[in-house]
Amino acid sequence: MRPSGRNVSEMRPISIETGVTRHAEGSCLIKCGDTHVLCTATIDERVPPFLKNSGLGWVTAEYGMLPRATHTRMRREAKNGQSGRTQEIQRLIGRSLRAGIDRVALGERQIVVDCDVIQADGGTRCASITGGWVALKLAIAKLMKAGLITSDPMMENVAAVSCGIYAGQTVVDLDYAEDSEAGTDGNFVMTGSGKLIELQASAEGATFSRQQFNELLDLAEAGVAELVAAQNAAVA
Amino acid sequence: MRPSGRNVSEMRPISIETGVTRHAEGSCLIKCGDTHVLCTATIDERVPPFLKNSGLGWVTAEYGMLPRATHTRMRREAKNGQSGRTQEIQRLIGRSLRAGIDRVALGERQIVVDCDVIQADGGTRCASITGGWVALKLAIAKLMKAGLITSDPMMENVAAVSCGIYAGQTVVDLDYAEDSEAGTDGNFVMTGSGKLIELQASAEGATFSRQQFNELLDLAEAGVAELVAAQNAAVA
Amino acid sequence: MRPSGRNVSEMRPISIETGVTRHAEGSCLIKCGDTHVLCTATIDERVPPFLKNSGLGWVTAEYGMLPRATHTRMRREAKNGQSGRTQEIQRLIGRSLRAGIDRVALGERQIVVDCDVIQADGGTRCASITGGWVALKLAIAKLMKAGLITSDPMMENVAAVSCGIYAGQTVVDLDYAEDSEAGTDGNFVMTGSGKLIELQASAEGATFSRQQFNELLDLAEAGVAELVAAQNAAVA
Amino acid sequence: MRPSGRNVSEMRPISIETGVTRHAEGSCLIKCGDTHVLCTATIDERVPPFLKNSGLGWVTAEYGMLPRATHTRMRREAKNGQSGRTQEIQRLIGRSLRAGIDRVALGERQIVVDCDVIQADGGTRCASITGGWVALKLAIAKLMKAGLITSDPMMENVAAVSCGIYAGQTVVDLDYAEDSEAGTDGNFVMTGSGKLIELQASAEGATFSRQQFNELLDLAEAGVAELVAAQNAAVA
Amino acid sequence: MRPSGRNVSEMRPISIETGVTRHAEGSCLIKCGDTHVLCTATIDERVPPFLKNSGLGWVTAEYGMLPRATHTRMRREAKNGQSGRTQEIQRLIGRSLRAGIDRVALGERQIVVDCDVIQADGGTRCASITGGWVALKLAIAKLMKAGLITSDPMMENVAAVSCGIYAGQTVVDLDYAEDSEAGTDGNFVMTGSGKLIELQASAEGATFSRQQFNELLDLAEAGVAELVAAQNAAVA
Amino acid sequence: MRPSGRNVSEMRPISIETGVTRHAEGSCLIKCGDTHVLCTATIDERVPPFLKNSGLGWVTAEYGMLPRATHTRMRREAKNGQSGRTQEIQRLIGRSLRAGIDRVALGERQIVVDCDVIQADGGTRCASITGGWVALKLAIAKLMKAGLITSDPMMENVAAVSCGIYAGQTVVDLDYAEDSEAGTDGNFVMTGSGKLIELQASAEGATFSRQQFNELLDLAEAGVAELVAAQNAAVA
């Protein structure tokens, strides 16, 4: 039995509200149950130095958490610098979003996607990827509407869900109560057509079998399909 | 003529929504026009070292801004550490809120008020003080309801507004368009009964007269009264 | 009764010795009672990047304190980086000095004013502004003598004094014994002709009335006049 | 065709030399082709604060690379602090080694495994895990020999190999020439009996299918078996 | 011919003024020609952790330079942290002063000697040692007068001078004009009775012979004797 | 009697193995008894900014120690930044190596010598200089072979040895057991022809006489001669 009463393959309610901030070129507030992430996309006409004169675009991401997004207040990262965990997460978000983009079509410009967790209840990196894609899509739509881009660089939806082994059962979309107890948990980033972008599965003080991993992947495929539907509804 | 069309003594629309995050002991989202600040109050049963065994409580504040809260994206402070400006603002917020608190009645515990700017359009430090007071009030109400505090430590409302000289006129509640052009601007922190907690007025590349300063103070008194009414409505 | 025996409107003895270091373009050692600050002005023919090709000059300031300038030794800032307080003070000094300068007449060059506290007894930021103006004046005199500047960019004297409420009385030019006990204290930066550049008044664990603030401003006006006379004598 | 001429399932030559440094409680130099990592294990009788009085042991790891371990010299991390990549790698090594340890049997002590890359040619994090296990085993053998531990906490071998998709083919044990060109690559950490500890597979600017991922996992299982045999020979 | 017109064995004028700051337990302003260093000694009743309950005292030193102590303004160290050069100098000063102290007689307390260069013209580390000894002596005299120390821990004077090879000649007490051109220069720290504490001689882009080194040492012995006489006169 | 049983003028066994890493332009592993240092030389065709268009070359060095090179594990410098001691050592290595180089013949390029201590038993900075010279020689030989340099910039061998006063006796090439007990110890850097580059001798809690210093220098001259012979054999 899951703490939330959900069955093993049941996702939390998904809500994606777009256009939530006045300044960003694209933005949304994604809610996966009690995990709320504000995603904004900023268009920067300059690319990083390693892409100067390459004709290729770039998408990068930054991730943060408000100090009281969590049950217990966390120290503000601006006081000590970004932790290794934060850097690992934001590299994952950036890598994932780039997999859905045609960087030639984007042209030599950069889009910075900021994912700031307003409230956390597990799965913040996955929600950031799913919401980040929406913000990115909206910013690019603006570029296309302005005629700055002619061929759509958005090749496919990109979305992510966590799955894990909780109380011996493989379950989808872990909330914090599950995540903190799970022996094995993983993050699965996929495209709208079900191709894989990134898989991470990790056991802490435990191991898992190949059979169990396959079950996690089955759950993730179904979960991502629900997220992709929500993305498409939001940007329609 | 003000860019927003307001007259010189007209405040922006004020909205204070409470209970906006699940984990914090007190919280609100304050909107002063297009300036939106999320304020949370966290109760910490430990005080800073210099107050150990003093019997006195403490209120402190931290301030941050999401990278794309502003028109142009700002560098994330977690990457370089807090700027001097950020530290100056959060010391001001903490000092202001402490002025409205009876630290003996609070007892030997600390309340940390986090003010995170979600969207900025001028006056973020004043909105943080005004909204921070609401979050603080709600957290203390929780302590009183739980019987952990018996005598109410909230002595008076604390609220703040900016005033300045724009296009030669003294005006209240500057938005970004005014703030970036004003020769003189100031922040005025007051209590519900009109007592002064902190005055700051500063000219950049200009000077101002004592007469002008008195006009700014008149405007501030009226503006703070409106903010205090909105605070009281929010926590009623 | 003030700890020093001074009456409420009595300034500490002021001494300004010029030409105290061999290398700086302008320098002075200012003593306000037991507060001693060494001020040097350095001419830099390059302006900060945001002023390149603007034709405008810049004045900036840095502030420091020797570790044993204070009663108890303080940690050396070179070990941990400048505190927020230090940064706040040096921005105040720079802003204040710029208010007395015609940046067009100065031409596209920068003057860096360093204010280093050799011995502290309250009011170090005010002494830094008052002494910093003298160092700046001397450096600019050198530029004018060399024919590098033709029209004098020094528009007005700039000086500063602290005032506060000590033991219920409004007093001028607080020393450390008063400053550490005052419920309200403020810094008042003015020009030689009495115009206001910056006002800061702050209560710690207290409040003050508009009437009290007006008394502080009266005291400050008289105090600044004495400081301006001392500046003029020093640079005569 | 692989740059090295290996066939798709062919590992690089593995060599593990033990006892290579005089001071460490356990040590080895592992060579996977031209990737050479010096692994040392240090016994520390104190555990991290969160384990005080828990009766549980801890294994942690740190990772570094000599500046000229790589083809082009890299900036020394002691000059800028550890990168996010380094922190991510050392957390992976620690997590992996802990999966093979009975922390109750280890008792309340910590073992720190340092993995320093002397020469790099791809796969340094996997070689660090495989070699780190050997250093850990030797340090624990010393504790057992000294009678400080009575029941062997080493439950299973832990080893790791990278696999990826190079030139359209799934291949095992990527060297640098392959790693820098691979569209998809992953790290697979397993136990001696074939259980999974951590899977990571990531596409940069590409995607992969579930079928391809299964082929990578098949290759990894065979590769890890070879590494485990080499570990056992080294500590025999 | 030396730039200053001095002959090869001629020291710069030495002046040591004591009691120059109000708060420090011991202080002096030492002038070696145009090199001016303010030295203060602070008594701290706590020793560093490694000496807790050892019965032994400690003397340590810190060194700094005002930004405009030099011909060209230097970046303030509080902005970037202490350079390696600064740390090397302050370790030298501390080591040198400890050589003249009986740490048992001092008792379990620490004395911190701060040496801040007000104006620089070569030889600042040597002036810091010579002046630091005077500040230390005065602070210890205070402890003895108060009866906190009964047996004098000051065993011998400690003083230092630089010597080098300038324009092919061995010269004593290099000023900046010589120091910046010298192929070889060194610092010689000695006791009042001529014993050696520390020798450093270094060639930049050159070498020197054992014969030349002996000449430098002869010059240093005579120079230190002059410095010791000045120390004794100052503390008499 | 020395702990190792060596007589006072007996060096530890010296071994210098060249070509130990695949990527560096020059490399060696130097062993002075149980002190083992890996030295690599990297050719960089860009010089530091202060040498742009000067026609002069540069040699610089960096120094590090693996965390478990020592008896007790040391904190990894990548975690806290380089200590002042590390910076002092690497400046010494760079200065020493530059003394043996004709910077005009080298041409406008930089060689970076990395010295990483794999195992420490005293004298690591001296071994770094001696081994660093070998790596530098090999890198330059490569440049000459490639015809990029026509006149050999290696003017003389550069090598270093430590000497000190242990148990009242002057001894050469201190190991850790001696170094940690010695009242006086020093480092002597010389050329192949016996010229002096750098002398450092320092007493901790003690002093030494000129006679003793001369004995140390005699020992150093003989020791360096042995090291130079080993260098020449290695690069032959």
Side-chain angles (χ1 to χ4, degrees), chain D residues 48-204:
Chain D
F50 68 92
L51 288 177
K52 277 266 175 65
N53 303 318
S54 68
L56 294 173
W58 192 244
V59 174
T60 188
E62 293 192 6
Y63 170 92
M65 218 186 243
L66 297 192
R68 196 56 199 281
T70 42
H71 195 269
T72 303
R73 186 178 183 274
M74 293 182 316
R75 203 168 157 75
R76 191 174 283 268
E77 284 205 313
K79 294 221 152 179
N80 298 55
Q82 291 186 312
S83 68
R85 177 188 171 274
T86 292
Q87 293 176 60
E88 181 176 339
I89 291 174
Q90 64 195 14
R91 279 200 310 274
L92 169 63
I93 302 170
R95 226 163 39 224
S96 298
L97 295 178
R98 283 193 296 277
I101 279 281
D102 177 342
R103 289 170 52 208
V104 175
L106 177 56
E108 200 171 309
R109 57 174 58 82
Q110 176 172 239
I111 302 188
V112 182
V113 176
D114 285 290
C115 301
D116 285 274
V117 180
I118 302 297
Q119 188 175 282
D121 188 35
T124 63
R125 78 187 71 188
C126 290
S128 295
I129 291 168
T130 305
W133 184 86
V134 170
L136 178 61
K137 174 82 178 173
L138 294 170
I140 283 179
K142 208 165 191 173
L143 285 169
M144 293 193 69
K145 203 170 166 187
L148 292 163
I149 292 181
T150 47
S151 154
D152 190 353
M154 300 297 284
M155 302 187 301
E156 282 215 64
N157 287 56
V158 173
V161 73
S162 72
C163 301
I165 305 176
Y166 173 77
Q169 279 189 304
T170 49
V171 297
V172 75
D173 196 20
L174 286 70
D175 55 32
Y176 179 74
E178 291 167 332
D179 192 46
S180 55
E181 297 293 323
T184 296
D185 73 294
N187 298 295
F188 299 81
V189 189
M190 302 185 192
T191 68
S193 65
K195 291 197 287 272
L196 304 170
I197 295 173
E198 181 126 359
L199 305 182
Q200 299 178 333
S202 174
E204 179 69 49

Side-chain angles (χ1 to χ4, degrees), chain C:
Chain C
M1 184 58 150
R2 305 179 68 173
S4 60
R6 285 186 283 152
N7 64 47
V8 296
S9 62
E10 188 180 344
M11 299 283 286
R12 293 178 287 182
I14 305 159
S15 137
I16 304 178
E17 183 188 356
T18 59
V20 293
T21 81
R22 190 189 179 203
H23 302 301
E25 282 76 32
S27 71
C28 76
L29 176 64
I30 183 168
K31 299 185 179 178
C32 297
D34 281 322
T35 289
H36 302 176
V37 185
L38 181 64
C39 305
T40 60
T42 295
I43 299 168
D44 183 350
E45 290 296 324
R46 291 160 312 177
V47 285
F50 68 91
L51 288 177
K52 278 267 176 65
N53 302 317
S54 67
L56 294 172
W58 192 246
V59 174
T60 188
E62 293 192 7
Y63 170 91
M65 218 185 243
L66 296 192
R68 196 57 199 281
T70 43
H71 195 269
T72 302
R73 184 176 184 277
M74 295 182 313
R75 200 168 160 76
R76 192 174 281 269
E77 284 205 313
K79 294 220 152 181
N80 300 53
Q82 291 186 313
S83 68
R85 176 188 172 274
T86 292
Q87 292 175 60
E88 182 176 339
I89 291 174
Q90 63 196 14
R91 280 201 309 274
L92 168 63
I93 301 170
R95 227 162 39 225
S96 298
L97 296 178
R98 282 194 296 276
I101 278 281
D102 177 342
R103 289 169 54 207
V104 174
L106 177 55
E108 201 171 308
R109 56 174 59 84
Q110 177 172 238
I111 301 187
V112 182
V113 176
D114 285 289
C115 301
D116 285 274
V117 179
I118 302 296
Q119 188 175 278
D121 187 35
T124 62
R125 78 187 71 188
C126 290
S128 296
I129 291 168
T130 306
W133 184 87
V134 171
L136 178 60
K137 175 81 178 174
L138 295 170
I140 283 179
K142 207 164 193 174
L143 285 169
M144 294 193 69
K145 204 169 168 188
L148 292 164
I149 291 181
T150 47
S151 155
D152 190 352
M154 299 298 284
M155 301 186 302
E156 281 217 63
N157 288 54
V158 173
V161 73
S162 72
C163 300
I165 305 176
Y166 173 78
Q169 279 189 306
T170 50
V171 297
V172 75
D173 195 19
L174 285 72
D175 55 30
Y176 178 75
E178 292 167 333
D179 191 45
S180 56
E181 297 293 324
T184 295
D185 74 294
N187 298 294
F188 300 81
V189 189
M190 301 184 191
T191 68
S193 65
K195 291 195 288 273
L196 304 171
I197 295 173
E198 181 127 358
L199 305 182
Q200 299 177 332
S202 173
E204 177 71 47
T207 56
F208 55 101
S209 69
R210 197 159 164 172
Q211 167 59 24
Q212 286 173 311
F213 181 75
N214 276 320
E215 288 174 32
L216 295 177
L217 202 39
D218 291 337
L219 287 168
E221 283 178 348
V224 164
E226 286 189 47
L227 292 165
V228 165
Q231 288 177 327
N232 289 339
V235 301

